Amino acid sequence: MVIVLAGLVVALGALVQGTVGFGIALVSAPLLAILDPRLVPVPLLVLSGTHALLSLARERGDTDWRGVGWALVGRLPGTALGVLAVATLPQRKFAILIAGSVLVCAGLSALRWRLHPTPRTLMVAGLVGGVSGTASSIGGPPVALAYQRERGARIRSTMAAYFTAGTAMSVLSLAAAGQVRLDGLLTGALLLPFMFAGFLLSSPARRFLDRGWTRPAVVGLACTSALVLLAQALAP
């Protein structure tokens, strides 16, 4: 029963990410942790990494590889800063700071601030994403906001390439720390059919979103992720 419930959660997360370009961790991680803490982070990383590869293959001709490179340049020091922040700063105050930053960026971009995926913007977005992703598992919104005015296929494919590299970094880091075990990998493999189902459902959904709804979906999901992080930080 736990596997079935977890699978439905994963399918929903895969549908959201396959449609918007990010969100599988946002949707799945909190609920999976409630169902069984062993479902995160390794099983979820298996699922998100596989999802990213599928998305990249589906829309590979639309990937902004140069932009991915700039974002990863920022993500490397951001990951190190995230580890340092977790070790030295009060977790609640740090999470509130990250959530507030994402909300401010999303709010400004929804009004008049025009974000564009320039090298400087992507490096800063990768830096913030590396910090927040390491500390809170929510690292997609900063980079997605930089691409919010691009075509839907461009956003999804570029985010998929970014997540593929980011997942590899996370798995290698966890493996070096001795946190990757066979049971976690097998659990992730057991949930793969549910992830595939959500991914397949995202094909017709993304065509609807591409009719002018991509940018509102990106901004709205970024705000949702920040609010989830804020709720987690403020919860007793």
Side-chain angles (χ1 to χ4, degrees):
M1 183 60 68
V2 170
I3 289 296
V4 172
L5 291 174
L8 293 175
V9 170
V10 167
L12 178 61
L15 170 61
V16 172
Q17 180 149 321
T19 307
V20 182
F22 67 105
I24 189 170
L26 165 66
V27 173
S28 303
L31 296 175
L32 291 180
I34 293 173
L35 287 171
D36 189 341
R38 292 173 296 180
L39 294 172
V40 291
V42 174
L44 184 55
L45 284 172
V46 171
L47 296 166
S48 59
T50 306
H51 190 290
L53 289 172
L54 290 172
S55 299
L56 189 58
R58 184 171 63 181
E59 297 177 302
R60 57 188 175 277
D62 293 287
T63 309
D64 180 14
W65 291 105
R66 185 179 180 185
V68 172
W70 285 116
L72 290 176
V73 167
R75 184 184 176 99
L76 287 172
T79 301
L81 288 174
V83 173
L84 181 63
V86 170
T88 59
L89 297 179
Q91 183 66 21
R92 179 169 298 191
K93 292 181 179 179
F94 178 72
I96 292 173
L97 176 63
I98 292 295
S101 300
V102 173
L103 283 174
V104 168
C105 289
L108 289 174
S109 64
L111 296 175
R112 294 184 178 181
W113 188 28
R114 297 181 65 87
L115 279 174
H116 297 285
T118 62
R120 179 180 298 178
T121 299
L122 289 170
M123 285 180 66
V124 173
L127 177 70
V128 176
V131 175
S132 62
T134 301
S136 65
S137 300
I138 300 177
V143 178
L145 284 173
Y147 281 96
Q148 63 179 278
R149 297 183 185 275
E150 300 292 322
R151 294 177 295 109
R154 183 78 156 180
I155 297 172
R156 289 187 295 268
S157 183
T158 302
M159 292 300 295
Y162 175 72
F163 283 135
T164 298
T167 301
M169 290 180 188
S170 297
V171 171
L172 289 174
S173 299
L174 288 170
Q179 297 299 313
V180 177
R181 293 184 289 271
L182 181 60
D183 59 341
L185 297 175
L186 291 177
T187 302
L190 194 61
L191 293 171
L192 280 175
F194 296 95
M195 186 276 295
F196 284 126
F199 177 79
L200 292 175
L201 288 173
S202 70
S203 290
R206 68 194 169 102
R207 287 192 287 270
F208 168 76
L209 203 69
D210 289 347
R211 298 173 186 170
W213 293 97
T214 301
R215 181 170 174 265
V218 169
V219 176
L221 193 57
C223 290
T224 302
S225 68
L227 291 174
V228 169
L229 181 58
L230 192 61
Q232 291 175 343
L234 296 177

